[in-house]
Amino acid sequence: MSHPAFCGVPESLLGELVAELAPRWEARCESGRRDRREGTRKREVGAGPKYAFMFADRLLVTLVHLRTGLTHQALGVIHEVGSSTIGRAIGEIRPLLAERGFAAPGRPGVRLRTLEDVFAYAEAEQVTLRIDGMETQVRRPNAGRSGRRTFVSGKRKQNTIKTTTISDGQGRTLWSGAMRPGRMHDQTAMRTEGIAEQFRRHPTVKAEVDDGYRGLANEFPEQVSAPPRKPKGLDGDDGPLTERYAWREMKRRQSSCRICVEHANAEHRQWRPLQRYTGRRETYGETHRAIAGLVSDRAARRATRHQPSTEPVLARTAAC
């Protein structure tokens, strides 16, 4: 089950996760035991029954569950433990994965946890951000519950939870969050996270967005680039042919610069829970952050692809 096809991460990263999260898990377990006994230890460290399901197994079970969506009962059969043990292990490890943040490409050991961290990194590395929304179908609230229509997406006509992804020009995830009900607009979700304030604090940071963030582009025209508006008089086949072609070419170029964030969202979709989330909506945010952090770890290890220059180069000296 440690194969990347099952757990979603390479073996080298799996070993790093064990070394990074094991002390945090042990500290959290010790804190819980201290609260239960309402005092300090009464026996020496190491006394008492030992864990039959070790931390490495708990981490592996959580990764396989996040990657494939296997049920607790199926994972219990594989590891020869009860389904309640699997559920308890996932409930312990998933918060630790969600708290890790996102890997910063080219900066080993640096984690981006907030929008402030992302904008500071983009300003220091001169990275043009790509911003896009992502919707995941979730369970429909029970009849009679207040706010039942809040999760109905006007775009997908389904009950969804909307998140926002920020990537660099190579399609590597830098941040993913701003969990909001599907009925909320993309721009509103980001404004409630304080993205406008971040653009004011970092005037040199630029971003590529789609039509959903048109208002943000109007407020920060020198920093945020959105697809060009269609000129008046170009409806249908009316209008000069050159203007129609110029508008289409400008829109195509802007879309080409922004498409890498769609690739980042596609990497998230490879994990089963983000294709259609069947768990409780209250735990979706934690699951999403855990998966997005693991995706960013894999993406940050990819080598940076340099864009080829399109400037004309003199091949040989011409004789006069």
Side-chain angles (χ1 to χ4, degrees):
M1 303 301 290
S2 62
H3 192 279
F6 288 99
C7 67
V9 298
E11 293 183 1
S12 58
L13 179 57
L14 184 60
E16 294 178 7
L17 288 174
V18 172
E20 175 187 351
L21 299 180
R24 301 182 188 177
W25 174 76
E26 182 60 37
R28 182 166 295 187
C29 291
E30 180 61 31
S31 177
R33 289 192 290 264
R34 182 184 180 89
D35 293 340
R36 288 193 296 271
R37 62 176 173 253
E38 299 180 353
T40 58
R41 296 182 61 93
K42 297 180 181 180
R43 291 189 291 180
E44 295 182 357
V45 178
K50 305 299 187 292
Y51 282 109
F53 204 46
M54 303 304 294
F55 172 78
D57 298 324
R58 294 169 183 261
L59 175 62
L60 188 59
V61 161
T62 304
L63 293 177
V64 173
H65 175 70
L66 294 177
R67 180 67 176 86
T68 65
L70 282 176
T71 63
H72 296 179
Q73 184 177 4
L75 291 170
V77 171
I78 294 174
H79 291 271
E80 300 180 351
V81 295
S83 59
S84 60
T85 302
I86 298 295
R88 192 161 50 249
I90 294 175
E92 293 174 355
I93 304 301
R94 187 174 54 196
L96 298 178
L97 294 173
E99 295 169 0
R100 296 178 62 243
F102 307 90
R107 294 288 188 90
V110 177
R111 310 293 297 185
L112 309 176
R113 293 180 173 84
T114 63
L115 273 178
E116 175 65 30
D117 297 339
V118 175
F119 275 75
Y121 168 79
E123 187 175 40
E125 299 292 331
Q126 299 181 354
V127 174
T128 300
L129 303 177
R130 273 72 172 179
I131 307 174
D132 190 35
M134 171 180 168
E135 292 188 59
T136 304
Q137 184 180 356
V138 295
R139 287 181 176 179
R140 186 182 185 186
N142 296 329
R145 291 191 58 180
S146 60
R148 193 183 187 201
R149 298 181 57 189
T150 305
F151 291 89
V152 178
S153 170
K155 178 180 180 180
R156 299 184 59 179
K157 310 302 180 184
Q158 297 173 337
N159 286 263
T160 64
I161 288 182
K162 182 171 295 184
T163 56
T164 304
T165 301
I166 300 180
S167 75
D168 61 0
Q170 306 289 331
R172 297 174 294 197
T173 301
L174 300 179
W175 184 82
S176 187
M179 284 71 177
R180 296 293 187 274
R183 196 177 184 87
M184 183 177 291
H185 195 275
D186 292 350
Q187 184 173 231
T188 305
M190 284 304 292
R191 284 187 179 276
T192 54
E193 289 289 321
I195 189 171
E197 182 64 25
Q198 296 303 324
F199 276 114
R200 295 189 185 95
R201 291 184 178 182
H202 305 274
T204 61
V205 175
K206 301 183 182 299
E208 301 279 348
V209 299
D210 61 1
D211 285 316
Y213 302 90
R214 174 73 61 183
L216 201 63
N218 293 338
E219 185 176 354
F220 302 96
E222 301 297 329
Q223 296 178 254
V224 183
S225 172
R229 290 183 179 274
K230 191 173 184 178
K232 295 182 179 179
L234 295 186
D235 297 333
D237 295 332
D238 299 334
L241 185 63
T242 54
E243 291 187 14
R244 278 188 287 156
Y245 282 170
W247 169 70
R248 291 175 183 173
E249 179 63 18
M250 292 173 61
K251 190 172 182 179
R252 186 197 65 79
R253 291 187 179 184
Q254 199 276 344
S255 177
S256 178
C257 293
R258 193 192 59 82
I259 194 64
C260 51
V261 70
E262 301 284 359
H263 299 161
N265 283 333
E267 287 189 85
H268 298 171
R269 296 288 190 192
Q270 295 176 3
W271 296 66
R272 184 63 180 176
L274 299 191
Q275 297 174 13
R276 183 179 184 275
Y277 191 70
T278 58
R280 297 176 63 88
R281 295 190 308 277
E282 293 77 7
T283 61
Y284 174 80
E286 187 176 87
T287 301
H288 183 95
R289 289 192 299 271
I291 292 176
L294 295 171
V295 170
S296 72
D297 286 324
R298 294 192 60 177
R301 294 168 181 259
R302 295 200 299 259
T304 301
R305 301 185 302 271
H306 297 283
Q307 298 294 336
S309 176
T310 57
E311 297 181 0
V313 179
L314 184 64
R316 60 186 179 84
T317 305
C320 298

